[in-house]
Amino acid sequence: MKVLISADMEGVTGVTFPDDCEPGHARWEYNRRFLTADVNAAIAGFAAAGATEILVNEAHADQRNLLLDRLDTRATLLIGTHKPLGMMEGIDRSPDAVAFVGYHTGAGQPGVLAHTYLPNTITAVRINGEPASEGRMNALLADEYGVPVVLVTGDDLCCEDARDWAPHAAHAVVKTCVDRYSAICLPPEVSAARITEAAREGLAALPASGGPTAPPAEGYTYEVSFDAAHLAPAASYIPGVVQTDPLTVRFTLPTMYEAIRCFRALTRVVTSAVENCYG
């Protein structure tokens, strides 16, 4: 039984403010322990449910945040930047299940540190008309590989959002959103117990694999909106990305594999056009 854990940081225990998860800040250094603890709690639950191989894909920012010397020895760690599939690197290694630990809601949605890939800049992402967090797009990619999502951890609004795109997964709420930069947080020992139990339950209830899911006949249409009018023209430098209004672009690709890679390229291009003061 092989499990892939995609580990983000904004949704882990105690993290509520940008400095808490921004590499280089003292608060980030402090909260790396909680990121590692939440991941370890998930590993413990999966191991209890019979997982024999657990791969953790570090998925936050430069993807070098987890503390390897504190990682549960029943897992291995895929760490480092510039991975071809980013947050979902490892989904092509035939896991039986995937878990999203430390996730959050998407750009323009309520939730602690809500965003989609970029901290601000992107104000909304829709896939085939549905609001899309990182969780939704990653779940669609997992579905294309035939891998079910069995666990989602994060704040209460992230787990509520996940009931739509991962309805059969177990959910572990580690904090309750007050606003984008504050939350009512559980002590680490309490959230760890919740995560371990949810991981155990989620893997124990693993549905029989129906194999990869075929993409919809119309493919996947992304609509991405920005907070400044110079960004949509910059995004349209990518072939197939079309500006539809001053703040929005659209593109359609036949598979989620292609669509998510195009979206990641779009974020890189747009980032290059963002200035420090006016964005």
Side-chain angles (χ1 to χ4, degrees):
M1 182 73 73
K2 297 168 61 177
V3 178
L4 172 67
I5 298 175
S6 173
D8 206 355
M9 193 168 181
E10 288 88 355
V12 303
T13 298
V15 169
T16 64
F17 196 73
D19 288 359
D20 292 343
C21 56
E22 193 67 28
H25 285 276
R27 289 291 300 179
W28 163 77
E29 190 66 54
Y30 173 74
N31 282 290
R32 295 174 72 190
R33 298 180 300 163
F34 297 146
L35 167 62
T36 308
D38 280 11
V39 168
N40 282 342
I43 293 167
F46 290 137
T52 55
E53 184 177 332
I54 302 170
L55 175 64
V56 180
N57 179 36
E58 158 70 78
H60 175 67
D62 62 3
Q63 302 172 355
R64 297 182 298 160
N65 307 275
L66 272 160
L67 298 171
L68 181 59
D69 61 341
R70 297 192 180 196
L71 186 70
D72 190 309
T73 57
R74 290 169 290 189
T76 54
L77 179 60
L78 174 54
I79 192 166
T81 188
H82 303 310
K83 302 166 189 161
L85 287 173
M87 298 181 77
M88 291 298 283
E89 190 66 32
I91 198 67
D92 56 349
R93 294 173 176 258
S94 303
D96 298 292
V98 63
F100 297 162
V101 172
Y103 270 51
H104 50 84
T105 53
Q109 299 173 333
V112 177
L113 293 169
H115 70 284
T116 304
Y117 273 67
L118 304 182
N120 293 302
T121 306
I122 292 175
T123 59
V125 179
R126 292 167 292 279
I127 301 176
N128 292 350
E130 295 289 336
S133 60
E134 293 166 11
R136 180 184 289 275
M137 65 177 75
N138 290 344
L140 287 170
L141 182 63
D143 197 40
E144 194 164 275
Y145 279 88
V147 182
V149 181
V150 297
L151 173 69
V152 178
T153 82
D155 74 3
D156 57 321
L157 299 182
C158 170
C159 290
E160 182 180 322
D161 180 48
R163 297 188 192 284
D164 186 39
W165 44 261
H168 303 297
H171 305 117
V173 175
V174 302
K175 55 195 172 190
T176 300
C177 177
V178 174
D179 65 19
R180 195 182 187 203
Y181 299 128
S182 59
I184 300 169
C185 298
L186 295 173
E189 295 82 0
V190 178
S191 59
R194 284 193 181 187
I195 293 169
T196 295
E197 181 58 19
R200 187 195 63 76
E201 290 180 356
L203 191 59
L206 180 68
S209 175
T213 299
E218 68 275 15
Y220 293 99
T221 297
Y222 268 72
E223 295 173 279
V224 184
S225 298
F226 305 104
D227 62 5
H230 70 292
L231 299 175
S236 69
Y237 296 164
I238 300 172
V241 177
V242 178
Q243 184 174 352
T244 58
D245 68 38
L247 297 174
T248 306
V249 297
R250 176 190 294 134
F251 64 87
T252 301
L253 285 164
T255 68
M256 196 61 197
Y257 172 83
E258 294 168 284
I260 203 168
R261 283 164 62 88
C262 183
F263 175 72
R264 292 181 65 220
L266 180 152
T267 64
R268 294 294 183 94
V269 170
V270 166
T271 297
S272 71
V274 174
E275 302 297 338
N276 290 333
C277 292
Y278 288 90

